[in-house]
């Protein structure tokens, strides 16, 4: 399977765009680990990954594990944020890889909700607490986040390697500032989020973030962009570190 990471590699580089009216795919608490995020373990029946394999004439006995199928992005993206212990606070009353499609209010598996938003042309963000991405470095935690259509992650703090991996996959990491948190802001996952100032972004710059609540009220906050260095700005502008490397190699071809 050829992943879609390089579908636009031959297109001219475009200025970085602001995030406009994004929906919250997931609202998390503290200490979300890369094991929570990344596809891992055996592939259970009646899941998006299992359904994909079944559609391609793979018998359940041959499903195997996500580790054995890590070269197939179609399987791996369907297992991202699918850990049975994950708790998405935006999908109240659920445990596991569930999300809420806000306009309809319907709760479904997080992959299905993300694809529904993609069909509607709606960008997505992840909101969380402290120590987001803790644990061992897992590249698919960032790759899967990218493939689900997540443009930005806004949390209180990061594990350093996962922050770097997000940047490497073209997903912009942000941190709350001025004591703001998901709790103090009263976030439920029903909000829309807009982030401006990205067209002139500098490393560690604070930028405006507009949060429109479910009742229509608006909260204006500042969030810190955790693109930490000038070269990481270039990675994000190219859509990720691999795009950056390939485009520079092409100059010498």
């Amino acid at each position: 399977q050829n992943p879609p990471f390089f579908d636009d590699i031959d297109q001219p580089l475009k200025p970085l765009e602001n995030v406009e009216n994004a929906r919250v795919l997931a609202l998390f608490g503290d200490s979300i680990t890369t094991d929570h995020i990344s596809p891992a373990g055996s592939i259970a029946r009646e899941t998006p990954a299992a359904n994909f394999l079944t559609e391609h004439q793979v018998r359940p006995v041959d499903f195997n594990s996500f580790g054995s199928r890590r070269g197939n992005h179609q399987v791996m993206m369907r297992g991202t944020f699918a850990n049975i212990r994950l708790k998405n606070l935006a999908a109240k009353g659920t445990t596991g890889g569930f999300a809420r499609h806000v306009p309809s209010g319907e709760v479904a598996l997080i992959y299905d909700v993300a694809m529904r938003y993609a069909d509607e042309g709606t960008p997505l963000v992840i909101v969380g607490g402290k120590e987001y991405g803790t644990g061992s470095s897992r590249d698919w935690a960032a790759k899967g986040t990218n493939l689900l259509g997540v443009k930005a992650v806004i949390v209180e703090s990061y594990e350093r390697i996962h922050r770097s991996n997000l940047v490497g996959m073209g997903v912009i990491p942000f941190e709350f500032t001025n004591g703001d948190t998901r709790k103090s802001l009263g976030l439920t996952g029903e909000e829309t989020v807009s982030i401006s100032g990205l067209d002139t972004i500098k490393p560690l710059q604070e930028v405006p973030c507009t949060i429109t609540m479910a009742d229509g009220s608006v909260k204006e906050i500042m969030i810190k962009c955790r693109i930490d260095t000038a070269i990481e700005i270039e990675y994000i502008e190219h859509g990720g570190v691999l795009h950056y490397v390939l485009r520079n190699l092409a100059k010498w071809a």
Side-chain angles (χ1 to χ4, degrees), residues 5-142:
F5 299 131
F6 307 115
D7 285 354
D8 59 350
I9 196 71
D10 58 345
Q11 299 300 311
L13 206 58
K14 297 178 181 178
L16 196 60
E17 296 180 348
N18 294 330
V19 176
E20 300 285 353
N21 298 316
R23 286 291 182 182
V24 179
L25 179 63
L27 178 68
F28 294 130
D30 298 338
S31 301
I32 296 299
T33 72
T34 50
D35 288 328
H36 286 116
I37 304 168
S38 185
S42 60
I43 298 174
R45 300 191 187 197
E46 305 303 323
T47 62
N51 293 339
F52 172 81
L53 291 171
T54 299
E55 290 167 3
H56 288 78
Q57 290 76 54
V58 178
R59 299 176 303 165
V61 70
D62 296 322
F63 282 173
N64 213 317
S65 66
F66 283 106
S68 70
R69 296 188 179 274
R70 60 178 289 111
N72 188 319
H73 71 282
Q74 294 286 3
V75 173
M76 297 298 281
M77 67 189 289
R78 285 165 169 79
T80 303
F81 293 112
N83 188 292
I84 59 172
R85 295 178 179 82
L86 190 65
K87 196 168 186 64
N88 181 0
L89 302 174
K92 293 180 181 178
T94 69
T95 301
F98 291 92
R100 183 182 302 275
H101 180 261
V102 174
S104 68
E106 295 175 7
V107 174
L109 293 168
I110 201 163
Y111 168 80
D112 294 328
V113 173
M115 294 304 101
R116 186 169 176 179
Y117 277 129
D119 289 341
E120 296 167 355
T122 302
L124 301 173
V125 298
I126 299 288
V127 178
K130 299 182 181 70
E131 300 176 344
Y132 183 79
T134 58
S136 57
S137 173
R138 299 192 183 280
D139 59 329
W140 266 105

Side-chain angles (χ1 to χ4, degrees), residues 15-20 151-152 172-174 194-202 205-208 223-225 227 233 236-237:
L16 196 60
E17 296 180 348
N18 294 330
V19 176
E20 300 285 353
K151 303 301 181 185
I172 308 179
F174 293 93
S194 296
I195 305 170
S196 56
L198 301 186
D199 53 338
T200 57
I201 196 71
K202 301 288 191 300
Q205 181 179 345
E206 292 189 9
V207 296
I223 54 178
K224 178 190 282 189
C225 176
I227 305 175
I233 294 284
I236 289 290
E237 288 175 340

Side-chain angles (χ1 to χ4, degrees), residues 125-176:
V125 298
I126 299 288
V127 178
K130 299 182 181 70
E131 300 176 344
Y132 183 79
T134 58
S136 57
S137 173
R138 299 192 183 280
D139 59 329
W140 266 105
K143 289 177 181 176
T145 299
N146 169 294
L147 289 172
L148 290 179
V150 175
K151 303 301 181 185
V153 177
I154 310 171
V155 298
E156 293 175 57
S157 63
Y158 290 91
E159 191 280 328
R160 65 180 184 86
I161 297 177
H162 186 59
R163 181 211 65 82
S164 178
N165 286 347
L166 287 172
V167 170
M169 289 309 304
V171 179
I172 308 179
F174 293 93
E175 286 180 353
F176 289 112

Side-chain angles (χ1 to χ4, degrees), residues 193-229:
V193 178
S194 296
I195 305 170
S196 56
L198 301 186
D199 53 338
T200 57
I201 196 71
K202 301 288 191 300
L204 298 172
Q205 181 179 345
E206 292 189 9
V207 296
C209 176
T210 302
I211 302 173
T212 303
M213 311 297 283
D215 63 4
S217 61
V218 175
K219 296 185 178 182
E220 300 278 357
I221 64 171
M222 298 297 288
I223 54 178
K224 178 190 282 189
C225 176
R226 283 302 313 274
I227 305 175
D228 290 0
T229 63

